[in-house]
Amino acid sequence: MDILRRLGQYLDRPGFPWKKLIIGFQITQYLFEGILSLRQYKILQQPKPPKTLEGEIKQETFDKSQAYGRAKAQFGFVSGLYSQAQNFATIYYDVLPRLWDLTGIWLSRYSPQGFTGEIVHTIIFFFTYNLITTTINLPVSYYSTFVLEEKFGFNKSTVKLWVTDLLKGQALGVALGVPLLSAFLAIIQKTGNSFFYYLFLFGIAVQLFAITVYPIAILPLFNKLSPLEEGALKTGVEGLAKRLDFPLNNLFVIDGSKRSAHSNAYFYGLPWKKHIVIYDTLIEKSQTEEVVAVLSHELGHWSLSHTTKLFGIAQFHMFYIFALFSVFINNRSLYQSFGFHKEFPIIIGFILFSEALAPMDTVVKLLMNILSRKFEFEADEFAVRLGYSTELAKSLIKLQIQNLSTMDADWMYASYHFSHPILPERLGALGWSSREKKADPTMVDETKSKVATGREL
């Protein structure tokens, strides 16, 4: 506590150029990520697939994958510049203090008696700001769904469904955001300098609540979950769960094809009650054993405690975020640098603190991606030990083709952006060889797998 207090006093320096510093952070990060994207774009211009995939991916499919990757990269360049321009304009034209003052005027003129104070003001400010940013970004969202994804055959949504999802999302944001934001502010107001301990406990409670409520009340608003029909796939998945002592409670199929042709599978739930969800697109385009192999990889994350470890890391990250926020919450020089001279709203302090923390978050993102890729290799190796080496390799190849995922990647770009290894790396770790080389795909070089599992990009 004393260290945090002293650090807070040290950083609160009148006249310190916080605005210039944060703008500098944003520009530096934008340029850095732009350089990485240019490196990746060169990879996306390569005419031939990696040697590992030469016997597995047709040239036509590879060309389409490369074109899809380039189209997403070009869209990323434009949308990134658009986002950067928004951020710069928000800071340069003092949008935050102007909007705070404007919503304060609305509150004083039109709110019923009793609806006053910082919490009510913050809620009005927050949702007004969210509405503005959502509206500004509608063209980007529309283009991504109905031009980019449509061009490559992935979009299955309609404008009506897109608008409906948008309205549902906004309504859900208000329904959940009002009590959560109110509680967040009230905890800080009432617990003094030790607020971060209580915010941390509140954050854990919210996560447990979300794990319980999301599949019951929120997911059905957007997708339909149906019990998996009796048959070979259900028998295979239940057998896998029983073999691993996985606490399977429900096995669902989700109508992912309602919006997209992309495929996936995942599990969720409390430690003693888990649910598996399989996309209908994955079932439609894969053989039974291949779907089971994908789930053997997913359950490998559970069996190897990857989900528990990542949850623990997330809690530590949340705690240090809140603890560091206590250093900045009373930093008058930070507020004043952004045009807040009379009022020092908590929510504004948190927004500005988040911007100041961006360089550290970049490092955290890099480290988490390195760890995530390591876990992916370990989950693949787990599936191999269960006897799904060939089926998993085949499924990964099919998923790569179906999703037109990146076939190759620049190592710097992948290290920074990718939470999963690219396909050639995973096939190499699985011991898979191209059929053109007439290798037995069921043979796995354990030494090679172990080396790949321990590697870091």
Side-chain angles (χ1 to χ4, degrees):
M1 285 291 296
D2 188 55
I3 294 176
L4 295 176
R5 181 182 59 80
R6 291 182 180 180
L7 181 59
Q9 292 174 346
Y10 176 77
L11 292 175
D12 190 3
R13 300 185 173 188
F16 187 82
W18 285 106
K19 181 182 286 189
K20 292 181 180 179
L21 185 65
I22 288 176
I23 290 176
F25 285 160
Q26 291 181 349
I27 293 175
T28 300
Q29 182 175 1
Y30 175 74
L31 293 176
F32 171 69
E33 293 181 354
I35 291 171
L36 294 183
S37 296
L38 288 173
R39 289 175 61 97
Q40 177 63 11
Y41 198 82
K42 292 181 180 179
I43 300 294
L44 295 172
Q45 292 176 311
Q46 292 178 349
K48 297 289 184 181
K51 289 189 177 297
T52 309
L53 303 180
E54 283 181 349
E56 311 300 337
I57 307 293
K58 294 181 180 179
Q59 185 64 43
E60 179 183 357
T61 302
F62 176 75
D63 291 342
K64 190 174 182 181
S65 171
Q66 292 287 83
Y68 182 48
R70 290 194 299 270
K72 289 195 297 182
Q74 291 163 4
F75 173 71
F77 288 132
V78 175
S79 61
L81 182 60
Y82 185 59
S83 177
Q84 190 65 27
Q86 288 181 51
N87 292 338
F88 182 80
T90 299
I91 295 174
Y92 184 81
Y93 292 106
D94 288 332
V95 171
L96 294 180
R98 291 172 186 269
L99 185 60
W100 180 264
D101 291 341
L102 178 61
T103 51
I105 293 172
W106 294 347
L107 183 63
S108 63
R109 288 183 180 177
Y110 307 114
S111 67
Q113 188 175 3
F115 282 84
T116 57
E118 183 178 350
I119 292 179
V120 176
H121 190 173
T122 298
I123 290 171
I124 296 173
F125 165 83
F126 182 82
F127 287 108
T128 301
Y129 183 71
N130 180 67
L131 180 62
I132 293 172
T133 54
T134 300
T135 303
I136 291 174
N137 287 309
L138 283 178
V140 176
S141 176
Y142 184 90
Y143 184 91
S144 175
T145 302
F146 295 103
V147 178
L148 178 57
E149 294 295 301
E150 183 80 28
K151 179 180 179 181
F152 290 90
F154 289 120
N155 177 48
K156 303 299 178 183
S157 183
T158 63
V159 174
K160 180 181 178 181
L161 181 60
W162 179 71
V163 171
T164 301
D165 283 350
L166 180 66
L167 295 176
K168 286 180 180 179
Q170 291 298 308
L172 193 61
V174 172
L176 295 178
V178 169
L180 291 178
L181 186 56
S182 299
F184 174 84
L185 297 171
I187 289 171
I188 295 175
Q189 288 178 343
K190 295 181 179 181
T191 55
N193 294 330
S194 301
F195 72 83
F196 57 91
Y197 292 113
Y198 299 95
L199 274 186
F200 173 64
L201 295 176
F202 174 69
I204 293 176
V206 169
Q207 291 175 75
L208 294 177
F209 175 78
I211 291 172
T212 305
V213 171
Y214 175 78
I216 300 172
I218 299 177
L219 185 59
L221 295 174
F222 299 92
N223 288 96
K224 181 181 179 181
L225 291 176
S226 305
L228 180 63
E229 296 180 355
E230 297 292 335
L233 178 57
K234 184 175 182 179
T235 301
V237 175
E238 290 178 340
L240 175 65
K242 185 177 181 180
R243 180 180 176 185
L244 300 176
D245 292 325
F246 180 76
L248 178 61
N249 188 68
N250 289 302
L251 187 52
F252 294 117
V253 178
I254 190 171
D255 59 342
S257 58
K258 181 179 179 180
R259 290 175 177 80
S260 174
H262 291 295
S263 302
N264 200 0
Y266 62 92
F267 68 87
Y268 67 90
L270 297 169
W272 57 88
K273 188 178 181 181
K274 299 290 187 182
H275 314 276
I276 292 177
V277 177
I278 309 172
Y279 276 57
D280 55 355
T281 48
L282 179 62
I283 296 175
E284 178 186 346
K285 299 175 182 178
S286 303
Q287 297 179 5
T288 298
E289 283 301 306
E290 292 169 352
V291 177
V292 176
V294 170
L295 290 172
S296 73
H297 166 93
E298 295 301 326
L299 298 193
H301 287 304
W302 171 82
S303 184
L304 296 170
S305 300
H306 292 165
T307 50
T308 302
K309 293 173 184 176
L310 290 174
F311 182 80
I313 292 172
Q315 306 321 299
F316 174 78
H317 181 254
M318 180 173 64
F319 181 79
Y320 101 79
I321 290 290
F322 289 151
L324 282 180
F325 179 44
S326 71
V327 173
F328 285 86
I329 191 170
N330 295 315
N331 191 318
R332 296 294 184 260
S333 64
L334 177 62
Y335 283 99
Q336 291 168 357
S337 183
F338 284 85
F340 289 87
H341 299 283
K342 296 180 180 180
E343 292 184 86
F344 308 100
I346 294 172
I347 190 64
I348 297 298
F350 192 74
I351 292 172
L352 299 180
F353 158 73
S354 300
E355 296 290 349
L357 199 66
M360 188 178 296
D361 279 346
T362 298
V363 175
V364 171
K365 174 184 176 181
L366 172 63
L367 296 177
M368 288 303 298
N369 279 342
I370 291 173
L371 180 63
S372 177
R373 288 195 299 273
K374 179 178 182 294
F375 283 171
E376 292 301 319
F377 280 123
E378 291 177 356
D380 282 351
E381 188 177 15
F382 181 86
V384 170
R385 292 199 300 269
L386 293 178
Y388 291 105
S389 173
T390 301
E391 292 82 2
L392 181 59
K394 289 180 178 179
S395 181
L396 290 174
I397 293 170
K398 281 187 176 181
L399 287 172
Q400 191 83 8
I401 293 172
Q402 292 165 13
N403 295 329
L404 292 181
S405 302
T406 302
M407 306 283 179
D408 201 358
D410 172 76
W411 71 271
M412 286 182 64
Y413 182 90
S415 297
Y416 183 75
H417 283 290
F418 288 177
S419 61
H420 286 58
I422 59 175
L423 182 61
E425 294 173 329
R426 296 182 73 175
L427 293 181
L430 289 170
W432 176 270
S433 298
S434 170
R435 286 190 292 269
E436 287 190 349
K437 297 178 183 178
K438 299 182 180 180
D440 184 355
T442 63
M443 297 298 292
V444 178
D445 185 340
E446 295 182 359
T447 302
K448 189 175 185 180
S449 180
K450 289 178 181 178
V451 170
T453 299
R455 64 185 286 283
E456 293 184 355
L457 296 180

